[in-house]
Amino acid sequence: MATRMKLKLKTVFVLYFMVSLLGLVYALMQLGQRCDCTEHDLPKDRTISRLRGELHRLQEQMRKSEATKQPQKHAVKPSPPTIFVITPTYSRLVQKAELTRMSQTFLHVPQLHWIVVEDSPHKTPLVSDLLVKSGLAYTHLHMPTAKDRKLQEGDPSWLKPRGVEQRNEGLRWLREDRRAQPGGESQQGVVYFADDDNTYSLQIFEEMRSTQRVSVWPVGLVGGMKYERPVVEGGKVVRFHTGWRPSRPFPMDMAGFAVSLKVVLANPEACFDGEAPMGFLESSFLQGLVTMDELEPKADNCSKGLGSDPAVEV
Amino acid sequence: MAGKAGYLSSASRPLIPSTRKDEAHADSRSAEEEKYRAGTIARVTAEPQKNSSSAELNVVDFTAIQHLAETERTESNVDTAASLKPLQKDGQRLGSDGKELQEEDDCAGFALNIAFTPLETNFQEIYFDLKSSVNFTVESNVPMRTEAKITASYNNMENISDFSERPHWKWHDSGLTLEMPKRRDIVAIVLIVLPWTLLITVWHQSNITPLLATRKDDRRDGRSNFRNTFAFKESCSLQNRDIVEVVRTEYVYSRPPPCSDFLPTIHVITPTYSRPVQKAELTRLANTLLHVPNLHWILVEDSQGRTPLVSSLLLETGLNYTHLNVETPRNYKVRGDTRDPRIPRGTIQRNLALRWLRETFTANNSLSRIVYFADDDNTYSLELFEEMRSTRKVSVWPVAFVGGLRFESPKVNTLGKVYGWKTVFDPHRPFAIDMAGFAVNLHLILSKPQAYFKLRGVKGGYQESSLLKELVTLSDLEPKAANCTKVLVWHTRTEKPVLVNEGKKGFTDSNVEI
C-alpha cells in the first residue's frame, strides 16, 4: 500500500507539472497573436481610428492635388532641369546644424540633386545619416584636402581657399556620372556651388533653372558690403558692383552664379584652381567657360538679393 | 559472520551508551545464545587480543526502522545487512587509518558494513578502533521519510575488563528525516513553480486579460499591429508620426503642408529685430517651418511699426502667421550690439506674444496647443517639432552650443523624471535651460494668466526660470528626445557680417533690400 500511495503522489506531481507546462505554452503562443481588445481601451482605439481616417483623408487630398498638377507639368515639359548643388563640407561643431538647415531648404526645391563632398579621408557617419534622413536625392562624396592647403588652427578664414578639392571632386563625379547616362551631352541641368553656411531663398533655384550658359545674381552680405551684384545694362552684364577687388575677371561670390550642365560637360578641364590668389577662385573656374557679356542676369536683372552669405559662428 | 536479516522488529532495547555495563553484559550473553534470533542483523564477535591487535566486534542488535507512513511505524520491508570484518591487506592487519599495524598497537581496524536493501543500497564502511569513539552515520537514498536508527552494541567478551573502555557509540538518527532537501526534490519544485511565475509575470505585463481572441487586422496604415496589446501608449504617437510622415514626404513642394484636424498646433514665438542678417535668418527659419504641419508662427518685431521687409517675407512664405510688434524702450535696449546678458533680449516681445495668445484663445479647446519660443538664429530639426507636439505641461530636451558646452541637457533619472541639469554655467538655477530647450502647453499658460517673463532684475541665464517657475515644478517636466539623449536644436549664432566697405563711394544702393 505504501507503494501505491507513493505512486499516487508521484503521478499527482507529474500531472500537475504537465498541466502547468501546457498552460504556459498555450499562453506564450497566445502572446504572438493579435487580440480582440474592443472591450478595453476604447477611447484610445477611437483616437487611433480617427487618426487613421485623417491620414487617409490627407493622402487622398495629396493624391488629388498631385493629379491636378501632373497634366500641367506634362503639357509644359517632360521634367524640369535638375539642379545639381555641390556643397563642400568639413567637420566642425556646427556642421550638423548647417547641413540640417540646408537640407530643410532644399526639400522645398523639386528636381534637386545634392552633391555633398566631405573634406575627409572617408565618409563620416554624421553626414551619411543626415543625408539618408533628409529625404533628398543626394550623392555623398569625400576628398581630403592636402595638408599644406588646409587651414590651421588660428588661421583667418580667408588665408587659404577652402573647398577647392571638394568642388573639383564634385565636378569630376558629375561629369563621369552624366557621361554614363543616356542622352550624353545633351542633358538639361544646372550646376550650383552652395556652401553650407549660407542662406538661400527658394526663388533662386527657380531663377537658375533656366540657365543656358552661366547665370548670375546679387549676393547679400558679402565682400564687406551689404550685397554684391552684377550691373546690368540693356539686359547684359557690363560690370560688377563690389567693394573688393573689382578688377577680378569675375568679381563675385561662389553663391552668385550657376553654370548649365551642358557647359560643364563640354569643358571637361574646367575646374577650380587652388593656387589662384585670394578671391580669384570663382574666376579661375569661369574664365574658361564664358565671357562677361555671355552672362545671364537673373533676379529681375540683378536687382533683387536672392542668395546671401552670412557665416555662422558658434 | 554477517548475516542477512529478514524482517526486523522494532528495537525494544535501545542499547548504548555504553555506561550501561550490565545491560550490555546481559545482552551479550543472551545475544550469544540466540545467535540468529529474528531481528538481528548481524552478529560479529569482537575479541580484543592484546598481543595480536585484533578484535572482533559483536554487533548484537542492529535495527533499522523505516517509516513510510504514520500507520506503519514498525513495519519495514527493508533488508539490511551488516558485516564487520577486519581490515586486511595481504594477510596483514591494518589499523583504522589504513596503515599496517605495528606490534605495539593494540587496536585494529574493522570495517562495519551496513547495507539497506532493496531500494538503494548504501554501503558505509566505518572504521574504528577500540580506543576511540566511533561515529558512524548511515546515509540513505531511500525516500524522504526514512528514518533509521541503528543501535549496536559493542560486545567485548572476555578479555576486556573494563567496559568503560569500550568505545561509545553515537548515532545519528535525525539526519535522515524529512527535511533534508534532496536534489531531485528541488528540481521538481523548481519545475513546478517556474512555469507559473513566468505565466504570472507575462500576464501581468499585458494588462489586458483577454489574450485569447484574435482581432481583424487593419493593415492599411502599413504599420503592423503585432505588438498592439503591449504598446498602446506608443501607438497614439506613432499614428501622429504616420500622419506627419505622409504629410511631409508626399506633399511634393506644396507649401505649407495641409492642415490636419488632429495634430496639436504648435505656436512658434519668434522675436526679431532689424539688422543686416535679419532677412536671411527669417528666410532660413521660414524654410524650416514650412515643413512642419499645423504650425502657427507668431513673429514679434522689436520696432515701432511692422516693417515691410518682414511683412512681405511672411506673405511670400505662405505660412500661417501672426505679425506683431512692440518696441523695446530705450533704457532696456542693448547698447549697440553688445551681448550683455544682463539685459535679456526679446523679453518684451515674447511677453506680448503670450498676451496675444491669452487674448485669442480660451481654455476650453479640446485640441491642445503647444507654445515654443524659437529665436531666429537657431537651427531646428524637424524631429523637434514632432517631439514637442505631445507636451502635456512643459517638455524639455537638450540644446547644443549653449552654456559654453557642446550641449546642455536636463538630467533624467531611470523613472523618466527630470531631477537636475547637466550644465556648467550655474546648474543651480531653478530651470537651467535655454529658451530653445522647452515647450509649454497652452492650457498651462492660460491657466496661469500671471505668468510672464520677468523684465527687471533678472540675472543672466535666469530668464527662462522666471517664466517656468510660475508654471511648473521640476517633477512636472517631461523629457523628450529619447529621454534627453538626442540633440535636436542647435543654438547657432550668426556671425556678424563684416561691412567695412559700406559707405564708400557709390556703395551700396540703400533701396535694395537685403
Side-chain angles (χ1 to χ4, degrees):
Chain A
M1 212 152 104
T3 344
R4 234 184 300 136
M5 281 292 299
K6 228 192 312 185
L7 279 170
K8 242 206 239 173
L9 204 57
K10 203 174 191 179
T11 45
V12 165
F13 273 121
V14 168
L15 270 171
Y16 175 66
F17 172 63
M18 294 306 297
V19 166
S20 53
L21 197 68
L22 281 171
L24 175 73
V25 166
Y26 181 59
L28 282 175
M29 280 182 42
Q30 288 300 321
L31 275 184
Q33 306 298 328
R34 296 154 215 132
C35 90
D36 176 25
C37 312
T38 47
E39 312 90 67
H40 297 258
D41 283 292
L42 205 46
K44 280 197 177 138
D45 225 4
R46 264 192 253 124
T47 318
I48 288 172
S49 48
R50 216 182 43 177
L51 285 171
R52 264 202 224 114
E54 183 69 10
L55 188 66
H56 295 139
R57 191 177 67 79
L58 288 170
Q59 279 174 323
E60 281 308 310
Q61 224 180 52
M62 271 163 238
R63 266 183 232 123
K64 263 187 246 155
S65 63
E66 246 185 285
T68 51
K69 264 199 231 165
Q70 291 289 13
Q72 281 177 3
K73 268 194 190 164
H74 281 287
V76 177
K77 50 181 116 173
S79 81
T82 308
I83 299 179
F84 294 92
V85 178
I86 300 181
T87 301
T89 182
Y90 65 103
S91 195
R92 67 224 195 255
L93 282 171
V94 294
Q95 182 188 33
K96 188 175 181 188
E98 298 290 27
L99 291 177
T100 306
R101 271 205 280 216
M102 273 193 110
S103 69
Q104 286 164 355
T105 303
F106 290 156
L107 270 172
H108 289 294
V109 184
Q111 288 299 111
L112 184 142
H113 189 105
W114 196 15
I115 303 171
V116 178
V117 194
E118 288 197 73
D119 182 356
S120 140
H122 45 75
K123 298 185 191 178
T124 58
L126 186 146
V127 177
S128 308
D129 290 341
L130 193 145
L131 288 173
V132 167
K133 282 199 203 137
S134 66
L136 291 163
Y138 70 91
T139 300
H140 186 184
L141 306 169
H142 63 96
M143 170 64 70
T145 313
K147 271 208 174 11
D148 56 340
R149 293 252 185 101
K150 250 196 153 134
L151 282 176
Q152 305 304 322
E153 290 283 321
D155 277 347
S157 61
W158 43 261
L159 193 64
K160 292 180 190 147
R162 281 190 306 186
V164 175
E165 284 87 347
Q166 288 75 37
R167 291 191 192 94
N168 288 338
E169 167 70 8
L171 285 170
R172 183 203 62 76
W173 177 88
L174 190 59
R175 286 172 175 135
E176 209 178 274
D177 181 75
R178 291 289 114 182
R179 228 172 305 213
Q181 301 279 342
E185 311 264 304
S186 64
Q187 282 179 61
Q188 298 267 20
V190 184
V191 181
Y192 182 50
F193 298 95
D195 290 344
D196 59 6
D197 51 4
N198 295 345
T199 303
Y200 305 92
S201 82
L202 299 177
Q203 291 106 300
I204 198 176
F205 296 103
E206 295 320 309
E207 296 268 341
M208 72 168 77
R209 239 187 255 275
S210 55
T211 305
Q212 296 303 314
R213 298 188 66 86
V214 176
S215 53
V216 292
W217 49 78
V219 178
L221 303 171
V222 74
M225 306 199 310
K226 279 200 191 151
Y227 63 88
E228 268 183 357
R229 69 178 178 89
V231 176
V232 178
E233 276 166 25
K236 289 220 175 280
V237 178
V238 294
R239 63 175 186 281
F240 283 86
H241 178 98
T242 167
W244 192 68
R245 291 224 201 156
S247 56
R248 296 176 276 165
F250 291 95
M252 57 180 153
D253 185 77
M254 196 67 72
F257 68 93
V259 189
S260 107
L261 185 62
K262 258 189 270 188
V263 172
V264 169
L265 294 178
N267 295 283
E269 303 308 313
C271 58
F272 291 92
D273 184 6
E275 304 294 332
M278 207 48 223
F280 281 77
L281 205 59
E282 298 84 357
S283 312
S284 69
F285 177 62
L286 289 172
Q287 261 175 330
L289 295 179
V290 78
T291 59
M292 187 161 325
D293 56 314
E294 287 172 338
L295 293 175
E296 299 151 50
K298 299 288 174 188
D300 266 2
N301 276 342
C302 297
S303 58
K304 289 213 293 204
L306 295 178
S308 61
D309 198 346
V312 174
E313 169 206 42
V314 173
Chain B
M1 274 177 38
K4 266 217 170 134
Y7 286 93
L8 308 168
S9 64
S10 53
S12 46
R13 292 159 297 167
L15 310 168
I16 315 120
S18 54
T19 46
R20 302 197 183 176
K21 309 176 196 180
D22 306 324
E23 270 185 51
H25 259 285
D27 290 336
S28 66
R29 284 209 195 98
S30 58
E32 257 204 347
E33 283 158 15
E34 303 166 316
K35 264 203 172 180
Y36 294 98
R37 184 188 56 184
T40 314
I41 298 170
R43 291 173 64 81
V44 179
T45 40
E47 293 164 7
Q49 289 160 1
K50 276 219 164 110
N51 293 328
S52 70
S53 312
S54 73
E56 286 174 333
L57 174 75
N58 192 357
V59 176
V60 172
D61 193 357
F62 196 101
T63 319
I65 306 167
Q66 187 165 35
H67 295 279
L68 287 171
E70 293 295 304
T71 54
E72 296 170 63
R73 212 173 244 294
T74 56
E75 204 172 318
S76 147
N77 55 1
V78 173
D79 291 334
T80 54
S83 67
L84 184 73
K85 54 186 184 216
L87 290 177
Q88 276 182 321
K89 185 188 170 188
D90 303 332
Q92 285 290 334
R93 296 226 169 177
L94 301 175
S96 58
D97 54 354
K99 295 193 190 145
E100 277 187 27
L101 283 173
Q102 307 304 318
E103 266 186 89
E104 54 273 21
D105 297 341
D106 58 354
C107 58
F110 287 88
L112 176 67
N113 300 324
I114 306 165
F116 287 98
T117 60
L119 289 163
E120 279 83 12
T121 52
N122 175 29
F123 264 83
Q124 179 93 18
E125 292 202 337
I126 300 156
Y127 303 99
F128 58 93
D129 59 36
L130 304 177
K131 285 198 173 171
S132 60
S133 63
V134 178
N135 294 336
F136 64 95
T137 59
V138 176
E139 285 175 318
S140 165
N141 295 342
V142 299
M144 295 180 276
R145 292 193 184 79
T146 306
E147 189 181 286
K149 225 179 201 176
I150 300 154
T151 55
S153 71
Y154 172 84
N155 189 0
N156 201 344
M157 248 77 48
E158 287 102 61
N159 297 341
I160 293 182
S161 53
D162 184 5
F163 197 74
S164 65
E165 283 181 32
R166 294 174 204 140
H168 295 261
W169 293 94
K170 294 176 196 168
W171 72 92
H172 299 274
D173 64 354
S174 59
L176 299 172
T177 49
L178 177 62
E179 272 67 43
M180 184 146 93
K182 310 272 186 191
R183 207 184 300 155
R184 224 172 30 139
D185 304 329
I186 296 174
V187 170
I189 293 174
V190 162
L191 280 177
I192 291 169
V193 169
L194 185 68
W196 285 106
T197 47
L198 275 177
L199 205 65
I200 289 169
T201 45
V202 156
W203 223 283
H204 180 261
Q205 262 182 23
S206 76
N207 76 12
I208 296 171
T209 35
L211 272 182
L212 306 177
T214 55
R215 180 197 202 194
K216 286 182 283 259
D217 182 42
D218 189 335
R219 283 193 179 276
R220 293 186 67 195
D221 63 343
R223 212 175 263 277
S224 88
N225 286 326
F226 198 78
R227 310 224 105 209
N228 207 354
T229 55
F230 297 110
F232 251 135
K233 285 193 186 108
E234 288 106 60
S235 58
C236 286
S237 58
L238 286 176
Q239 296 297 328
N240 265 347
R241 276 186 221 268
D242 275 347
I243 291 187
V244 169
E245 267 313 308
V246 165
V247 164
R248 191 187 309 148
T249 59
E250 293 196 18
Y251 71 88
V252 196
Y253 320 116
S254 75
R255 356 181 204 109
C259 254
S260 154
D261 286 336
F262 297 105
L263 289 181
T265 309
I266 299 179
H267 297 276
V268 176
I269 298 177
T270 303
T272 182
Y273 65 103
S274 277
R275 64 226 197 254
V277 297
Q278 181 190 34
K279 188 176 180 187
E281 302 288 32
L282 293 179
T283 306
R284 259 203 289 219
L285 189 54
N287 282 341
T288 304
L289 297 178
L290 277 168
H291 287 293
V292 185
N294 280 39
L295 184 134
H296 176 219
W297 198 13
I298 303 174
L299 199 57
V300 193
E301 284 197 77
D302 183 355
S303 66
Q304 262 188 344
R306 294 187 218 162
T307 56
L309 186 150
V310 175
S311 310
S312 56
L313 190 146
L314 285 173
L315 266 173
E316 245 174 57
T317 59
L319 279 167
N320 179 15
Y321 71 90
T322 299
H323 188 181
L324 306 171
N325 70 289
V326 60
E327 191 173 24
T328 312
R330 273 194 196 278
N331 51 338
Y332 285 128
K333 252 200 191 148
V334 178
R335 269 175 297 299
D337 271 299
T338 55
R339 295 182 199 191
D340 186 350
R342 266 197 292 271
I343 306 171
R345 263 209 301 238
T347 313
I348 298 185
Q349 284 74 32
R350 292 188 192 102
N351 283 342
L352 177 70
L354 285 175
R355 211 180 76 190
W356 181 89
L357 282 169
R358 286 183 172 124
E359 284 168 8
T360 313
F361 297 105
T362 51
N364 57 358
N365 272 331
S366 58
L367 198 61
S368 52
R369 292 166 186 277
I370 318 293
V371 177
Y372 182 53
F373 298 96
D375 288 345
D376 56 10
D377 53 4
N378 295 342
T379 306
Y380 309 94
S381 76
L382 301 177
E383 215 182 315
L384 177 74
F385 297 103
E386 299 322 312
E387 290 280 319
M388 70 169 80
R389 253 189 243 272
S390 54
T391 304
R392 285 197 295 269
K393 287 196 172 177
V394 174
S395 54
V396 292
W397 48 77
V399 180
F401 310 138
V402 281
L405 294 171
R406 281 175 72 235
F407 66 93
E408 273 186 355
S409 90
K411 281 195 218 173
V412 182
N413 62 17
T414 44
L415 297 167
K417 289 255 176 240
V418 177
Y419 67 96
W421 308 97
K422 266 193 237 164
T423 75
V424 169
F425 172 65
D426 204 348
H428 300 294
R429 292 175 269 165
F431 293 91
I433 197 165
D434 183 78
M435 196 66 75
F438 68 92
V440 190
N441 192 313
L442 188 64
H443 281 198
L444 191 59
I445 291 186
L446 296 175
S447 66
K448 306 247 167 96
Q450 305 308 318
Y452 281 100
F453 286 103
K454 204 162 163 219
L455 263 175
R456 291 181 213 237
V458 178
K459 271 205 294 184
Y462 280 78
Q463 214 203 5
E464 296 83 5
S465 306
S466 71
L467 175 73
L468 287 173
K469 69 174 193 279
E470 299 186 36
L471 292 175
V472 280
T473 57
L474 206 69
S475 56
D476 283 337
L477 293 176
E478 301 154 45
K480 299 288 175 191
N483 264 351
C484 295
T485 53
K486 282 168 47 171
V487 172
L488 300 173
V489 56
W490 298 263
H491 196 286
T492 45
R493 253 164 284 157
T494 305
E495 190 182 275
K496 190 163 114 73
V498 172
L499 299 182
V500 287
N501 286 328
E502 281 293 329
K504 289 186 187 160
K505 188 161 136 188
F507 296 102
T508 49
D509 183 2
S510 52
N511 290 327
V512 177
E513 188 186 79
I514 51 136

